Amino acid sequence: MATSSAMPAPLKRAQYWDSIANFLAEDPNSILGRIAGGNIYDANQPQLQAWKQEIELLKGVLHDREGWIGFEFDVPRMGHRADVVLLTSGTVVVVEFKFEAAGKINRAAVNQVWDYALELKHFHAASHDLPIVPILVVPEANDLPAEWSRRETAPDLVYRPIAANQQSLQAVLEAAITSGTTNIDADAWYGAPYHPSPSIIKAAEDLWAGHSVAEIASSGAGTEELRAAAECLRELAQKARDLRQRLICFLTGVPGAGKTLIGLGMAAQRTADGDPHAVFLSGNEPLVRVLRAALVRDKRKRRGLMRETGARTETTTAVKKFIQNVHEHRNEALRNEQSAPFEHIAIFDEAQRAWTRKRLAEWLKQRIGVSNFDRSEPEVLIGTLARKPDWSMIVCLVGEGQEINRGEAGIGEWFRAVADRFPDWSVYASPGFADLGQAAEAWRGIPSRTEEPRLHLSVSRRSLRAENLSHFVQSLLDCDRLGAREHLERFHELYPVRLTRDLEQGKQWVRDHARGSERFGLLATSKAVRLKPYAVDVRIEVDPVHWFLDGREDLRSSFALEDAATEFDVQGLEIDWACIAWDGDVRHTGSGWTYHKVQHNLQNGSRWVNIGERNTWGRIYALNAYRVLLTRARQGMVICVPQGQAADPTRKPEFYDRTYEYLAGLGISSI
């Protein structure tokens, strides 16, 4: 154990940080002053009283301990501080006090201290390989629940929280802390970098609060790619501004590589007068709704604005300027074709999903009564930014292999729009478009085009633990058994993937594996209509805001495991643990996939019908729906393939058995 008593500099991660020996020797009022930042009069009385009690309790139980102690330890970007962190006997101990808990141990408090421990484990560089023990102290508690009263095994060294009261705290500390002799360099641990890899919801909150992409994406594979891509887009935006040019940039990447993160970061930047100069556009309505709601909730929470109507309206308006539905943005542009947009930069998420001329013409005729419309969505959007009198820039974020809607134009339509209608726009794109079939010819028709290697992200960051998840899913869907087994072998210990025939067993598995406030949920494809006998009805519309953001107490949230979210609800979003119900819409034959949908008619009743080879896009959409579901979980997933029912012609066991056997043959363990 390091014995230096010097405060690590220049970083200040805790309000008070010192050796336990110095803490025991120091006057309580002096400690209190240091915790309060040198002026105890700035702190409210309940907080001062809590700190006094913490100091008194810890002085009473740490008298034989060596190590270091920190009060009000900042857990970066969680928006909270842990009450106390101890480094002792090779162990990190996170302690949270609840003096106002009326003697009760509640799940919310347990989750809070557990989240602190998990955050340190995953993102604090010096804590990755250390045992971390979260302890919840409710001094007046009379009844300590058995499930929170003992230290249990923890394969990844993050232990289940242990609850203690005033009388049991010393015994809990003794039982919780290992007797290991591993020395922790306190100065190095205190000053170690914090490397977050947040979900897209948390990332959006951090970006909107003023953090940069570099801060948020400062760890793991693909970090340098992200930084290089973000810097490339900044350079191109500066070029467009300085030279009064019009540019379109295509940022490509594998699923989960960070395209949306970069786009949100660019849209969150402010001009000198505080106004946004860019807008983030997405045709993914659930993503737009969830991100908007999350930003509004987070902003109100940070500012304590929950009851201030005027502030609520201001926050909501600002968020709506930041993130917009691309179709609403397009419709507004069509209503006001003579006016220029407010923003200079438009970031279009999943740009390959822009509508074709035919799809847009159909929609406008049905919804608005406009006939003979002859422009595609890319043409409309480029034309809108072209009305900006000085400079403008469009950033197209391009995903791979997740097309799930008809009438999506693909990247070739963007290239054709520039070549045919906007030849004065310069295009920058990652290498490779010259080899993309029909898009290649359109690419070569652009007068001013530049290949820029920095505009491609090749490494998925979606999972905290499994860099190879997207490769595994790709191999699984390609029926590449050897490749799938090899990829699974690389990450299965850190990112568990399991298989079951029992949906309730699958639900319990995700419940058991989720720790703290980690989110879990039930997923199924929109065509999985024969899961209804298992109480999974995909026809019931899920409200993604409640499903993704609300807590365990709300039956509409994912935690209830009652409403299954489909590929349309979750594309672009993530949860920590997924229970995926696999129906007979996509079946394995032993050598490949077949594709089906349920059809109802008076003559034949309800039955599965085959999606034939001629319906190429129908097959692509069906397979990509499972691609979306299989890449939603950040921590792990269980796949449930039902047993079927011989008496039900729409649920024959043979519709499911070979799929289960194929997945098991890839090395996925059953639970």
Side-chain angles (χ1 to χ4, degrees):
M1 182 70 65
T3 58
S4 169
S5 62
M7 174 72 72
L11 175 71
K12 184 177 182 182
R13 183 158 278 162
Q15 291 296 101
Y16 175 100
W17 179 254
D18 216 328
S19 68
I20 291 176
N22 287 347
F23 166 74
L24 294 173
E26 189 172 354
D27 180 77
N29 287 328
S30 173
I31 297 172
L32 183 64
R34 289 173 63 182
I35 297 173
N39 188 352
I40 63 173
Y41 301 106
D42 286 344
N44 60 50
Q45 286 303 311
Q47 180 62 78
L48 286 172
Q49 186 60 35
W51 285 333
K52 288 179 181 178
Q53 290 178 266
E54 291 170 17
I55 294 167
E56 181 181 352
L57 281 171
L58 291 170
K59 276 181 171 284
V61 300
L62 293 176
H63 48 82
D64 292 328
R65 283 258 157 223
E66 294 183 355
W68 286 71
I69 183 170
F71 284 82
E72 296 298 311
F73 186 89
D74 184 29
V75 183
R77 287 196 290 284
M78 278 191 71
H80 298 284
R81 289 173 173 168
D83 287 340
V84 174
V85 169
L86 301 169
L87 298 187
T88 181
S89 298
T91 304
V92 180
V93 183
V94 185
V95 186
E96 189 68 17
F97 290 87
K98 295 296 180 185
F99 295 101
E100 73 285 358
K104 302 290 185 181
I105 306 294
N106 63 66
R107 182 63 189 242
V110 169
N111 285 346
Q112 182 181 353
V113 70
W114 208 345
D115 286 345
Y116 293 157
L118 290 167
E119 192 82 355
L120 288 173
K121 168 67 179 181
H122 292 309
F123 304 132
H124 184 242
S127 297
H128 292 331
D129 301 319
L130 295 174
I132 305 175
V133 182
I135 297 177
L136 174 66
V137 182
V138 183
E140 303 303 321
N142 296 317
D143 182 24
L144 298 175
E147 64 175 321
W148 309 116
S149 62
R150 61 186 180 276
R151 170 171 164 159
E152 298 184 355
T153 58
D156 68 351
L157 299 181
V158 178
Y159 292 85
R160 284 171 58 85
I162 308 173
N165 57 24
Q166 184 170 343
Q167 292 73 34
S168 67
L169 179 56
Q170 183 163 359
V172 166
L173 280 170
E174 294 299 324
I177 297 171
T178 65
S179 58
T181 58
T182 302
N183 289 326
I184 301 177
D185 184 325
D187 288 357
W189 184 90
Y190 187 93
Y194 184 81
H195 290 163
S197 178
S199 69
I200 195 62
I201 295 173
K202 181 60 179 171
E205 292 172 352
D206 291 343
L207 290 165
W208 188 241
H211 295 286
S212 68
V213 170
E215 289 179 291
I216 294 172
S218 58
S219 73
T223 298
E224 291 307 315
E225 281 190 340
L226 279 173
R227 291 178 176 172
E231 180 59 30
C232 178
L233 290 173
R234 281 194 294 271
E235 292 172 3
L236 291 172
Q238 187 67 45
K239 178 181 179 180
R241 187 163 40 241
D242 293 345
L243 301 181
R244 301 174 69 83
Q245 293 182 339
R246 303 193 187 280
L247 310 179
I248 302 182
C249 305
F250 292 87
L251 176 65
T252 58
V254 300
K259 302 180 296 295
T260 303
L261 174 64
I262 289 179
L264 287 168
M266 196 168 191
Q269 295 173 8
R270 300 292 194 274
T271 58
D273 59 4
D275 287 327
H277 71 280
V279 60
F280 182 87
L281 301 173
S282 175
N284 184 339
E285 178 64 16
L287 176 69
V288 171
R289 290 182 58 199
V290 170
L291 291 183
R292 279 180 170 180
L295 293 178
V296 170
R297 293 185 185 191
D298 184 64
K299 193 74 169 184
R300 294 174 187 171
K301 182 179 178 181
R302 290 175 191 262
R303 291 188 176 180
L305 301 176
M306 294 302 292
R307 297 182 180 179
E308 298 179 25
T309 303
R312 282 202 304 269
T313 302
E314 179 184 351
T315 299
T316 302
T317 300
V319 167
K320 286 183 176 180
K321 288 182 179 180
F322 172 37
I323 299 175
Q324 296 180 28
N325 183 299
V326 68
H327 305 309
E328 294 176 359
H329 186 275
R330 174 206 65 208
N331 294 344
E332 182 62 27
L334 291 174
R335 282 191 290 266
N336 299 279
E337 294 209 55
Q338 302 306 313
S339 61
F342 175 78
E343 304 86 6
H344 283 276
I345 301 175
I347 298 104
F348 190 175
D349 194 30
E350 299 292 345
Q352 77 279 2
R353 299 179 63 187
W355 288 1
T356 61
R357 292 183 185 181
K358 180 180 178 181
R359 175 74 177 101
L360 183 53
E362 289 175 351
W363 189 91
L364 290 173
K365 184 175 182 179
Q366 293 169 0
R367 298 295 184 90
I368 305 177
V370 175
S371 298
N372 301 318
F373 193 80
D374 66 347
R375 284 176 285 167
S376 65
E377 203 163 48
E379 290 174 306
V380 172
L381 293 169
I382 298 172
T384 300
L385 270 293
R387 297 200 295 265
K388 203 70 177 171
D390 41 10
W391 67 277
S392 48
M393 177 177 177
I394 295 175
V395 178
C396 292
L397 310 179
V398 185
E400 297 178 357
Q402 297 199 36
E403 296 84 358
I404 57 176
N405 288 295
R406 72 178 183 88
E408 295 176 351
I411 293 305
E413 188 63 38
W414 288 89
F415 295 162
R416 282 186 287 272
V418 176
D420 296 344
R421 294 202 177 199
F422 304 97
D424 57 324
W425 284 65
S426 298
V427 176
Y428 292 80
S430 58
F433 282 116
D435 302 320
L436 288 182
Q438 294 181 350
E441 183 179 352
W443 166 254
R444 289 190 289 268
I446 298 172
S448 175
R449 63 185 189 276
T450 302
E451 290 190 349
E452 171 52 74
R454 289 179 293 173
L455 293 178
H456 181 70
L457 306 175
S458 62
V459 180
S460 176
R461 301 170 51 87
R462 173 158 290 140
S463 169
L464 296 177
R465 303 178 177 186
E467 295 174 6
N468 290 301
L469 175 62
S470 63
H471 300 301
F472 164 71
V473 172
Q474 182 67 52
S475 295
L476 182 157
L477 297 177
D478 286 345
C479 298
D480 176 7
R481 296 171 187 262
L482 178 61
R485 282 194 289 266
E486 290 177 348
H487 289 304
L488 182 62
E489 183 64 28
R490 293 190 182 106
F491 66 75
H492 72 96
E493 291 184 358
L494 296 176
Y495 181 101
V497 181
R498 296 292 183 268
L499 196 57
T500 183
R501 307 300 301 265
D502 186 331
L503 184 58
E504 290 306 315
Q505 188 180 46
K507 290 180 180 181
Q508 192 58 49
W509 187 86
V510 295
R511 289 190 190 101
D512 292 342
H513 279 75
R515 299 181 291 182
S517 59
E518 290 177 343
R519 182 168 290 274
F520 51 83
L522 177 64
L523 305 179
T525 70
S526 58
K527 302 299 184 184
V529 297
R530 293 313 295 141
L531 295 174
K532 190 176 179 182
Y534 307 99
V536 178
D537 191 346
V538 294
R539 298 172 303 172
I540 296 176
E541 186 175 352
V542 167
D543 186 323
V545 172
H546 295 298
W547 201 88
F548 277 101
L549 300 182
D550 288 351
R552 296 171 186 264
E553 69 285 351
D554 196 315
L555 292 175
R556 298 168 297 180
S557 81
S558 67
F559 289 118
L561 292 172
E562 293 186 3
D563 295 331
T566 72
E567 68 273 20
F568 299 110
D569 301 313
V570 301
Q571 189 176 37
L573 294 160
E574 302 163 326
I575 53 178
D576 293 297
W577 300 89
C579 177
I580 301 169
W582 196 304
D583 200 10
D585 51 335
V586 174
R587 307 172 196 166
H588 206 272
T589 65
S591 59
W593 300 107
T594 58
Y595 310 89
H596 311 265
K597 62 182 179 180
V598 167
Q599 190 176 80
H600 310 280
N601 60 60
L602 293 175
Q603 183 178 358
N604 299 312
S606 299
R607 63 192 181 101
W608 288 103
V609 296
N610 184 53
I611 299 176
E613 293 183 4
R614 291 185 178 182
N615 190 353
T616 302
W617 281 107
R619 290 174 161 228
I620 290 173
Y621 296 150
L623 203 61
N624 281 345
Y626 279 97
R627 187 191 311 277
V628 170
L629 301 191
L630 291 167
T631 53
R632 289 312 94 190
R634 291 164 57 84
Q635 301 279 16
M637 61 180 160
V638 58
I639 303 170
C640 175
V641 183
Q643 296 276 2
Q645 172 57 254
D648 184 345
T650 65
R651 291 193 296 128
K652 292 180 180 180
E654 55 261 38
F655 294 170
Y656 305 96
D657 290 346
R658 285 192 174 180
T659 300
Y660 178 84
E661 292 164 4
Y662 167 68
L663 295 174
L666 301 180
I668 304 176
S669 301
S670 297
I671 56 176

